[in-house]
Amino acid sequence: MTWSEQWSLLEPECWNTLYMVGWSTLIAIVGGLPLGILLVLTERGGLLQNVVVNKVIGQVVNVTRSMPFIILMVALTSFTRWVTGTSIGRDAAIVPLAIGAIPFFARLVETAVREVDGGLVEAVQSMGGNIFTVVRKVLVPEALPSLISSATTTVVALIGYSAMAGTVGAGGLGDLAVRYGYQRFETGLMWVIVAILAVVISLLQFAGDFAARSLHNRGARSGPGPRLRPLKAEEPAAADIGKVA
């Protein structure tokens, strides 16, 4: 297979992968961010402590996370058809991709938000801040570097999930590698796809790490200054005491 023939196959599948991963990542962030914050707020000792709600949400998240994506995709066939009007194609693949990624991202958000210093939360509350203010002014800004790293991890995982979306006719680079690289023994095309995915994932990881590190360093520079130690009064010198005497 010549390069022109390979490129004619690669170009549309690259766009299919970008389309599926982009939309599912956006939905995962919109759904997973409040879910992860809610898990922290409703835990024992949290600002909205509710053990029952926390356990129910936690179990739903755990069950969804533990289910293999290929099984989840098949189980959601009816729901996918109800949402998109079809169970085949890239639009249909976005539904199970997003539903599988929301609990994954929510757990990462929970871990990131839990690392925020509780003293900052208490300071905002002492100044009259409500729960919404605590979330908007403290939890999300302070956890933002970790949240960006979590989003990067989610995107990388979704790229892997998108390879299995080919079973519902969604296309994408993973599906192309299986259909041509494995089933038709086009080894050269398969290695080209592997190289493309490796480069894309490396660039995404580098960009996410750079953004997270930049925000962390900026937060460190704008943090509180060094503590000032109380000054002690100097004792008068012996010569001065003699003069006074």
Side-chain angles (χ1 to χ4, degrees):
M1 183 179 291
T2 64
W3 169 247
S4 60
E5 292 174 337
Q6 290 181 356
W7 179 247
S8 66
L9 296 171
L10 287 169
E11 185 178 10
E13 301 306 337
C14 286
W15 286 111
N16 284 337
T17 298
L18 181 63
Y19 180 85
M20 290 186 293
V21 173
W23 277 108
S24 55
T25 299
L26 179 62
I27 297 172
I29 292 174
V30 172
L33 181 61
L35 187 61
I37 295 174
L38 187 62
L39 284 170
V40 176
L41 294 179
T42 57
E43 67 182 358
R44 193 178 301 276
L47 298 179
L48 293 174
Q49 177 176 320
N50 192 317
V51 178
V52 175
V53 173
N54 185 269
K55 292 295 184 182
V56 170
I57 297 176
Q59 285 300 320
V60 173
V61 169
N62 291 337
V63 169
T64 310
R65 282 184 60 203
S66 63
M67 188 176 299
F69 178 72
I70 189 69
I71 297 177
L72 178 66
M73 188 165 51
V74 173
L76 292 174
T77 300
S78 299
F79 179 74
T80 301
R81 188 182 296 111
W82 178 74
V83 173
T84 64
T86 180
S87 58
I88 299 175
R90 64 180 189 177
D91 290 331
I94 292 174
V95 176
L97 282 171
I99 292 177
I102 286 174
F104 179 83
F105 183 65
R107 280 302 185 190
L108 296 177
V109 171
E110 179 188 10
T111 302
V113 172
R114 190 175 282 136
E115 294 176 352
V116 176
D117 186 4
L120 298 175
V121 175
E122 294 176 0
V124 173
Q125 286 184 304
S126 66
M127 292 185 290
N130 56 21
I131 295 176
F132 178 75
T133 303
V134 170
V135 173
R136 186 169 60 91
K137 295 290 187 180
V138 178
L139 296 183
V140 173
E142 290 296 321
L144 192 55
S146 297
L147 292 177
I148 290 178
S149 297
S150 301
T152 304
T153 303
T154 303
V155 174
V156 173
L158 281 170
I159 292 176
Y161 289 166
S162 67
M164 289 177 278
T167 57
V168 294
L173 291 174
D175 176 58
L176 185 65
V178 172
R179 286 190 293 112
Y180 282 83
Y182 178 72
Q183 296 177 350
R184 301 189 184 184
F185 303 101
E186 294 287 348
T187 308
L189 178 61
M190 184 181 66
W191 283 112
V192 169
I193 294 172
V194 170
I196 292 174
L197 291 175
V199 171
V200 170
I201 290 174
S202 298
L203 291 175
L204 285 172
Q205 192 67 56
F206 173 80
D209 292 344
F210 178 79
R213 190 163 50 248
S214 299
L215 286 172
H216 180 76
N217 293 337
R218 186 176 67 181
R221 288 196 299 268
S222 61
R227 293 183 178 180
L228 298 177
R229 292 176 295 178
L231 299 176
K232 295 181 180 180
E234 295 183 357
E235 297 181 358
D240 294 338
I241 295 176
K243 289 180 180 179
V244 172

